[in-house]
Amino acid sequence: MSFVIALDQGTTSSRAVVYDRAGTVVAFAQREFEQIFPHPGWVEHDAAEIWETQIGVAREVLSGAGIDWPDVAAIGITNQRETTVVWDRETGRPVHNAIVWQDRRTAQMCEQLVALGLESMFREKTGLRLDPYFSGTKLRWILDEVDGARDLADAGRLAFGTVDSWLVWNLSRGSRHVTDVSNASRTLLLNIRSGQWDDDLLAALEIPRSVLPEVVPSSGIVAEAVPPAASAAVPIAGIAGDQQSALFGQMCHRAGMAKNTYGTGCFMLKNTGHVPVVSNHDLLTTVAWQAGGALEYALEGSVFAGGAVVQWLRDGLGIIKAAPDVEALAASVEHSNDTFLVPAFTGLGAPHWDPHARGTITGLTRGTTAGHLARAALESIAFQSAELLAAMEADAGGASPVTELRVDGGAARNDLLMQIQADLLQIPVVRPTVAETTALGAAYLAGLAVGYWRSVDEIDSMWQIDRVFEPSMSTDEVAYRMGRWRAAVARSLGWANQKSEAEDES
């Protein structure tokens, strides 16, 4: 009997999952790795540690399933997007720590590009904003700021990639330098209509073409993995950025279907089919995947701090010992007592796009308890996601309204959060039996490419519902709470300007 393995490389941990033909999890393994914060607003990872933890959990999950590499029909890879790795082709070593998607160090660079009048070109060609979130300016920073990096790039020695490229390079022992079109669409360097690297974008960011990986489909055999100590090569047949992979794993294969993933951040995607819809409400247009045909697209809204706010309660404040403890603490109070927490730890994403925003707590009184703060933290995740869906519906103009939101990710297991989300959205929130659909999507993309599964219809039939959360809050209460949330957000926006004004007054 053969299996499919998904390598799910996330922002705080590396995971591996073995699936059988029924899409059932046979074995699972996970390891966290270090988060590096060199300066305020900077976030880095050790790319070597990413590889070590990823191949480590791969070995662990095979052992847990009682199988070896020859029993694996295909490998699917899904990954934290935008995180930027640059390495030396000759040594295979990174020239700098990976710069994580959350990192804000290139905010000034983005502002300079906007001042040069380049925003419209980037929006038209890439579907993205000029924001430090994306890979292109991170790559430019490494080439400009790391000693000798640009000289090595000019000599053809350097390779750039998002984490999928880094994993494929290592799995193939340096024989393949590729990225799939969904990850490529998050770099500020890809023309999303042609699916190719764009010379105008490369020139604007001063990126030499020689560092770029080959762009490949999301589903298809793109490399042969030769893992350490493996007795046989295994096809790498599926690659997708984590949010696109989750959209695929949630069976959102038709235009108008939407999902929200609750991970370190929250990412809501709505399938728009073969048409790249341009947003008028500060959402992103992104490639969803390419699987056996033309490119498919999605509208996306990104929340930078989702599960990260729960991690902050645990690691920063110490009011919970483990992330799952937040649900009981938040449920210990009936409401947040009008306490609102805006977790703009690394700025705010859609629809605000303010890299200078900083976290704010409003409404504190002597009666505020740890329970109120925990509930406000959960509500902050739901409020931010509600803003995204409102923007998507405004872009749709009444066409193809979202009638349910499919949810996944670690925090989707939190029943209280899911009920709050349904209340704020006023539509059902649907949680599938398999909540970790990011890895599942990568497995499906890989399995389809090698014939492990015969069709999308076959895998669609395997999707099952765990629970549906129906809205129970009145529309008046929702309107009141969203209004108070927007007032709290206003205090977080433009924090750098507020700070400057305060310094001038002093």
Side-chain angles (χ1 to χ4, degrees):
M1 183 177 181
S2 62
F3 302 85
V4 171
I5 184 171
L7 305 182
D8 181 0
Q9 204 300 299
T11 307
T12 58
S13 66
S14 296
R15 296 172 289 276
V17 190
V18 172
Y19 295 96
D20 62 17
R21 291 188 188 276
T24 302
V25 174
V26 177
F28 171 87
Q30 178 174 355
R31 292 185 193 176
E32 292 190 0
F33 52 85
E34 183 182 8
Q35 306 295 300
I36 303 167
F37 307 101
H39 302 286
W42 291 29
V43 189
E44 297 179 357
H45 292 158
D46 179 347
E49 186 182 11
I50 286 177
W51 165 242
E52 290 165 4
T53 56
Q54 189 64 78
I55 194 63
V57 292
R59 295 192 194 99
E60 184 179 338
V61 80
L62 291 175
S63 176
I67 61 175
D68 205 347
W69 288 110
D71 302 308
V72 177
I75 296 172
I77 293 174
T78 185
N79 55 284
Q80 53 169 314
R81 304 170 304 171
E82 299 95 17
T83 295
T84 299
V85 187
V86 177
W87 65 95
D88 189 320
R89 295 177 188 273
E90 293 187 8
T91 67
R93 297 194 186 102
V95 300
H96 189 271
N97 278 339
I99 302 180
V100 180
W101 59 270
Q102 300 164 312
D103 191 281
R104 304 276 95 189
R105 77 186 67 188
T106 63
Q108 185 176 6
M109 185 189 302
C110 292
E111 291 164 1
Q112 291 169 346
L113 292 167
V114 171
L116 290 171
L118 295 174
E119 174 91 41
S120 60
M121 179 186 74
F122 276 92
R123 284 299 299 269
E124 179 183 350
K125 287 177 177 284
T126 71
L128 309 177
R129 297 176 58 92
L130 276 170
D131 187 88
Y133 177 24
F134 305 107
S135 310
T137 57
K138 303 179 196 299
L139 170 57
R140 165 80 176 272
W141 187 93
I142 290 174
L143 294 177
D144 288 348
E145 301 297 330
V146 175
D147 288 345
R150 190 165 287 278
D151 289 339
L152 286 171
D154 291 339
R157 284 262 309 260
L158 293 190
F160 150 75
T162 42
V163 173
D164 59 311
S165 300
W166 175 239
L167 295 181
V168 173
W169 173 274
N170 282 283
L171 284 167
S172 67
R173 301 193 182 183
S175 68
R176 293 288 284 155
H177 182 208
V178 302
T179 187
D180 97 290
V181 68
S182 73
N183 278 293
S185 74
R186 310 295 295 189
T187 61
L188 284 173
L189 304 174
L190 188 90
N191 186 313
I192 60 170
R193 288 165 179 81
S194 68
Q196 300 297 321
W197 302 123
D198 188 281
D199 288 333
D200 293 336
L201 302 173
L202 294 175
L205 288 173
E206 300 180 17
I207 303 299
R209 185 177 281 270
S210 63
V211 304
L212 301 177
E214 176 189 352
V215 181
V216 298
S218 309
S219 182
I221 299 174
V222 299
E224 292 289 324
V226 188
S231 58
V234 182
I236 300 172
I239 306 174
D242 52 9
Q243 303 315 315
Q244 291 96 327
S245 186
L247 188 69
F248 197 86
Q250 281 279 37
M251 303 299 121
C252 294
H253 300 143
R254 297 187 304 278
M257 300 182 73
K259 71 87 195 175
N260 199 24
T261 296
Y262 298 80
T264 302
C266 290
F267 302 89
M268 188 179 293
L269 274 73
K270 178 181 179 180
N271 189 321
T272 63
H274 296 294
V275 180
V277 175
V278 177
S279 174
N280 294 315
H281 296 84
D282 290 320
L283 299 176
L284 305 176
T285 305
T286 194
V287 174
W289 51 71
Q290 184 180 16
L295 298 176
E296 295 191 47
Y297 298 90
L299 275 176
E300 175 176 336
S302 305
V303 169
F304 293 158
V309 70
V310 178
Q311 294 172 337
W312 176 68
L313 295 180
R314 180 192 67 188
D315 302 333
L317 298 187
I319 65 173
I320 55 175
K321 292 183 178 179
D325 297 343
V326 71
E327 183 172 5
L329 181 58
S332 68
V333 295
E334 293 184 4
H335 50 72
S336 66
N337 201 26
D338 265 357
T339 301
F340 292 84
L341 190 162
V342 182
F345 304 133
T346 55
L348 286 173
H352 306 288
W353 293 110
D354 185 349
H356 302 296
R358 288 296 177 263
T360 305
I361 302 175
T362 63
L364 292 175
T365 69
R366 284 289 300 272
T368 303
T369 67
H372 293 119
L373 195 57
R375 195 173 188 104
L378 290 186
E379 289 178 348
S380 76
I381 300 171
F383 277 127
Q384 292 177 96
S385 297
E387 288 185 308
L388 298 182
L389 187 63
M392 286 182 179
E393 297 295 67
D395 275 330
S400 301
V402 176
T403 57
E404 66 177 27
L405 182 68
R406 297 186 174 188
V407 298
D408 57 81
R413 299 189 186 96
N414 187 312
D415 289 351
L416 178 58
L417 172 59
M418 294 299 98
Q419 185 58 55
I420 294 170
Q421 190 69 87
D423 288 341
L424 292 178
L425 297 181
Q426 293 288 288
I427 60 173
V429 166
V430 183
R431 183 173 64 199
T433 302
V434 178
E436 294 294 345
T437 53
T438 302
L440 184 61
Y444 284 154
L445 287 166
L448 285 169
V450 299
Y452 189 79
W453 291 292
R454 292 166 296 185
S455 67
V456 169
D457 288 340
E458 180 184 355
I459 60 176
D460 191 51
S461 68
M462 296 188 291
W463 190 79
Q464 295 181 333
I465 294 174
D466 169 55
R467 181 170 172 183
V468 178
F469 297 84
E470 298 284 353
S472 60
M473 185 179 288
S474 71
T475 55
D476 288 344
E477 179 67 13
V478 171
Y480 168 78
R481 297 190 63 74
M482 289 300 300
R484 295 301 299 268
W485 165 257
R486 286 190 288 269
V489 169
R491 295 177 180 270
S492 291
L493 295 171
W495 179 255
N497 293 333
Q498 297 174 38
K499 180 181 177 183
S500 177
E501 291 170 3
E503 290 172 346
D504 290 343
E505 291 175 2
S506 63

